[in-house]
Amino acid sequence: MKDLRFVLAIGVCVALGLAASAAPPGRGSTATAAPQVGAAPAATTAVSTAKWVYLTFDDGPSAKYTAQILRILQAYHVRATFFEVGQNVKRYPALTRRVDQLGHSVQNHSWSHPNLTKANWSTFKYQVRTTDRYLRAQTGYTPRCLRPPYGATNRVVAKRAAMLGKKIQLWSVDPADWSRPGTSVIVRRVLSKVHTGSVILMHDGGGNRSQTVAALPTILKTLKARGYLFYPLWCQ
Ligand SMILES: [Zn+2]
């Protein structure tokens, strides 16, 4: 589902600081509240030393890989964000429900993964709203984050997203796991680029994600050892 040209464009977007900021507190629970990206930590020792990241998975749910990833996240007591493709939700609704029930955030990644910068308003609305409807049927809430496929966004996309009550949520660390560069390469790319507030992009759907699954335990183990906390994104 990825196109190298888009990936290069994404790199430029991120370099230019166009990656949308990560979200504030979790749904209705102060216990899950994450610091705002870029926000100054509160003046307590406990908070000022805190480090956190946002782990995100795109293009699912996938019959083969989503459950494997959920099991690993559960084993490490880590909560993440899943940007799901509506037509996959329609096909595997129970997986979407499971992701939600385990405390992860389920967010909108369009209906059929088009480039939204090339969509007209009618198509844009269909892509977002139909996905919302299928997600809501499983999770009980309407997602506030929209991650445009390929990270392809511009002012029109951001404005249209806002008109539908959405914030654009991109990422800041991209190991290109979808291109299957090798498990150790995925691990190294994440661990060398991550810092507090990073939004890490990985994939549970859209193709063979066995390397992503294999890389995940080492990534989680190492980030935990470095003192990172993991928060889901809500875009509230
Ligand atoms: Zn995608």
Side-chain angles (χ1 to χ4, degrees), residues 89-110:
V89 179
K90 183 182 181 187
R91 194 165 173 201
Y92 305 113
L95 281 171
T96 297
R97 193 158 57 248
R98 181 88 181 125
V99 172
D100 174 62
Q101 284 171 344
L102 288 170
H104 305 291
S105 173
V106 182
Q107 300 294 328
N108 193 320
H109 193 40
S110 83

Side-chain angles (χ1 to χ4, degrees), residues 84-136:
E84 298 193 339
V85 172
Q87 60 188 10
N88 294 342
V89 179
K90 183 182 181 187
R91 194 165 173 201
Y92 305 113
L95 281 171
T96 297
R97 193 158 57 248
R98 181 88 181 125
V99 172
D100 174 62
Q101 284 171 344
L102 288 170
H104 305 291
S105 173
V106 182
Q107 300 294 328
N108 193 320
H109 193 40
S110 83
W111 178 256
S112 59
H113 213 274
N115 180 341
L116 290 177
T117 66
K118 295 180 175 169
N120 61 28
W121 175 227
S122 165
T123 302
F124 190 102
K125 274 191 292 189
Y126 176 83
Q127 287 284 331
V128 173
R129 285 181 170 166
T130 313
T131 303
D132 273 355
R133 195 165 70 244
Y134 276 86
L135 289 176
R136 198 163 45 233

Side-chain angles (χ1 to χ4, degrees), residues 25-226:
R27 250 186 316 157
S29 166
T30 52
T32 61
Q36 293 264 11
V37 167
T44 68
T45 306
V47 175
S48 64
T49 56
K51 297 193 287 185
W52 63 92
V53 292
Y54 305 93
L55 203 53
T56 69
F57 295 93
D58 284 13
D59 298 350
S62 142
K64 185 157 187 186
Y65 301 105
T66 302
Q68 294 181 46
I69 286 171
L70 288 175
R71 273 195 295 276
I72 296 167
L73 295 176
Q74 212 172 359
Y76 287 88
H77 306 286
V78 163
R79 288 191 304 154
T81 305
F82 289 75
F83 287 90
E84 298 193 339
V85 172
Q87 60 188 10
N88 294 342
V89 179
K90 183 182 181 187
R91 194 165 173 201
Y92 305 113
L95 281 171
T96 297
R97 193 158 57 248
R98 181 88 181 125
V99 172
D100 174 62
Q101 284 171 344
L102 288 170
H104 305 291
S105 173
V106 182
Q107 300 294 328
N108 193 320
H109 193 40
S110 83
W111 178 256
S112 59
H113 213 274
N115 180 341
L116 290 177
T117 66
K118 295 180 175 169
N120 61 28
W121 175 227
S122 165
T123 302
F124 190 102
K125 274 191 292 189
Y126 176 83
Q127 287 284 331
V128 173
R129 285 181 170 166
T130 313
T131 303
D132 273 355
R133 195 165 70 244
Y134 276 86
L135 289 176
R136 198 163 45 233
Q138 301 309 321
T139 68
Y141 64 89
T142 303
R144 298 287 306 274
C145 309
L146 173 66
R147 176 168 282 172
Y150 316 104
T153 187
N154 57 26
R155 287 170 67 177
V156 174
V157 169
K159 191 177 165 193
R160 286 174 173 175
M163 289 170 74
L164 298 177
K166 300 274 185 287
K167 285 184 185 168
I168 300 291
Q169 179 65 62
L170 299 179
W171 56 86
S172 57
V173 174
D174 180 5
D177 63 314
W178 56 270
S179 68
R180 292 196 275 155
T183 300
S184 61
V185 175
I186 295 172
V187 170
R188 195 164 57 242
R189 284 175 179 169
V190 171
L191 295 180
S192 65
K193 291 173 190 162
V194 75
H195 57 81
T196 191
S198 288
V199 179
I200 302 167
L201 170 64
M202 300 181 88
H203 294 79
D204 64 322
N208 182 334
R209 305 308 183 207
S210 55
Q211 292 185 5
T212 305
V213 171
L216 198 52
T218 308
I219 290 170
L220 297 182
K221 206 180 306 175
T222 308
L223 290 179
K224 287 202 133 187
R226 291 184 189 174

